[in-house]
Amino acid sequence: MVPTFPRRAFMTVAAADLLVALVVVSGLLAVTPAGVVAAALVTPFSLVGYVTAYRLFRSAREAGAAPRDALGAIGEALVPLPARMLMRAESANLASVGLWARRRVDGVPRGGVALPYAKEQRPLLWMLLFAVVVQAVALEWMVAAMDAPAGLRAVVMAADVYSLLFVLGLGAACATRPHVVTDDELRIRYAAYFDLRVPRELIASVRASRSFDARGVVSVRDGGLMVGVDAQTNLIVHLTRPIAVTRPLGRREHVTSIRFYAEDPASALKSLTTP
């Protein structure tokens, strides 16, 4: 059961209403007459949202879902697909920090060949990390000098910590999730945001082809997929037929060629052309 747009809007209002209530109870937001009037006006819409959420939960439970999975069904109905995919990718990126600390990689089976791609962007990530630390120190100094409320300082600190974890997670995920070549497939990845499996029987040809025109990290143009690192690609794969590609925010495309970047293109070319 997927809610229609009005019901999803009601659920969003209910979630926001609950969040505001929690902030008020925690003492971070004072109750004012205007706030009481606004709450009274919003309450009917919130009730519709709560009823919709309960019906989703009950339907999932009647279908045999565990309580945790039933709550997850509410989240899937409330949160749009692009946001859900982004949240899942961010969680996987953070989990990659542990893999990186243990010097392990994800998704490289025995007999598979890992094709790293992260080295080229390390200088940029170090610069971003330095900028995040400087920004965090500067913002903390500013809010302290302004004698800002404790709640605001907590929000600023949480944003700074998230920015730091984002950069660390991105670097760790790129290092621990390389491209992979096995006897059956070519797996092209970028951190936890993109993962494409190409059966080797669909590969018509592979050749080295260096370019510096990648738009963003994952892009599709004229039926060609580009997975770039620092705007670079150095290998191009032509396919015997179009395959479906799911982009990081859920949009699906069909492509007949793939450009991607590998630190050692000669080794990648050898692994893809050796029977």
Side-chain angles (χ1 to χ4, degrees):
M1 175 182 179
V2 178
T4 60
F5 175 75
R7 290 185 179 181
R8 178 173 286 175
F10 289 142
M11 292 173 67
T12 302
V13 170
D17 191 29
L18 180 60
L19 179 61
V20 171
L22 291 174
V23 173
V24 170
V25 170
S26 67
L28 298 178
L29 183 66
V31 178
T32 63
V36 172
V37 172
L41 294 174
V42 168
T43 296
F45 302 101
S46 295
L47 290 175
V48 174
Y50 293 134
V51 170
T52 302
Y54 171 73
R55 288 177 175 173
L56 281 172
F57 180 83
R58 187 180 63 183
S59 297
R61 291 288 288 149
E62 290 175 350
R68 181 176 178 179
D69 294 333
L71 289 173
I74 297 175
E76 289 187 3
L78 176 61
V79 182
L81 177 61
R84 295 202 310 271
M85 294 187 68
L86 190 60
M87 291 166 61
R88 290 169 186 163
E90 292 294 334
S91 298
N93 284 349
L94 290 177
S96 298
V97 175
L99 287 176
W100 177 77
R102 299 196 302 272
R103 297 181 179 276
R104 296 184 179 179
V105 293
D106 171 82
V108 182
R110 180 175 297 180
V113 178
L115 306 178
Y117 56 84
K119 185 177 180 180
E120 188 69 26
Q121 67 181 8
R122 284 176 190 165
L124 176 60
L125 291 179
W126 281 115
M127 291 174 59
L128 284 175
L129 192 61
F130 176 76
V132 167
V133 173
V134 172
Q135 173 186 281
V137 173
L139 285 177
E140 177 60 24
W141 178 81
M142 289 177 59
V143 295
M146 295 168 56
D147 196 21
L152 177 60
R153 295 183 67 176
V155 170
V156 171
M157 183 172 292
D160 290 335
V161 170
Y162 172 77
S163 299
L164 179 64
L165 291 176
F166 170 81
V167 177
L168 289 174
L170 177 60
C174 288
T176 59
R177 296 169 180 266
H179 307 310
V180 182
V181 177
T182 66
D183 292 338
D184 300 320
E185 66 180 11
L186 163 64
R187 188 177 184 183
I188 299 174
R189 301 190 283 184
Y190 184 82
Y193 296 112
F194 184 76
D195 192 344
L196 174 66
R197 296 173 181 266
V198 182
R200 292 191 66 165
E201 62 265 23
L202 297 185
I203 298 177
S205 65
V206 186
R207 62 183 174 86
S209 177
R210 195 175 189 89
S211 68
F212 297 86
D213 60 347
R215 298 179 180 178
V217 176
V218 179
S219 62
V220 176
R221 183 173 58 195
D222 298 328
L225 169 68
M226 301 184 77
V227 183
V229 174
D230 196 23
Q232 300 182 51
T233 61
N234 54 17
L235 289 163
I236 181 169
V237 177
H238 291 283
L239 307 175
T240 58
R241 64 174 174 81
I243 62 169
V245 173
T246 301
R247 297 173 68 172
L249 295 182
R251 183 177 176 180
R252 290 178 64 83
E253 309 264 11
H254 285 81
V255 301
T256 55
S257 66
I258 303 168
R259 289 180 176 268
F260 68 101
Y261 178 84
E263 291 177 12
D264 187 351
S267 176
L269 192 61
K270 180 180 179 180
S271 64
L272 284 168
T273 54
T274 301

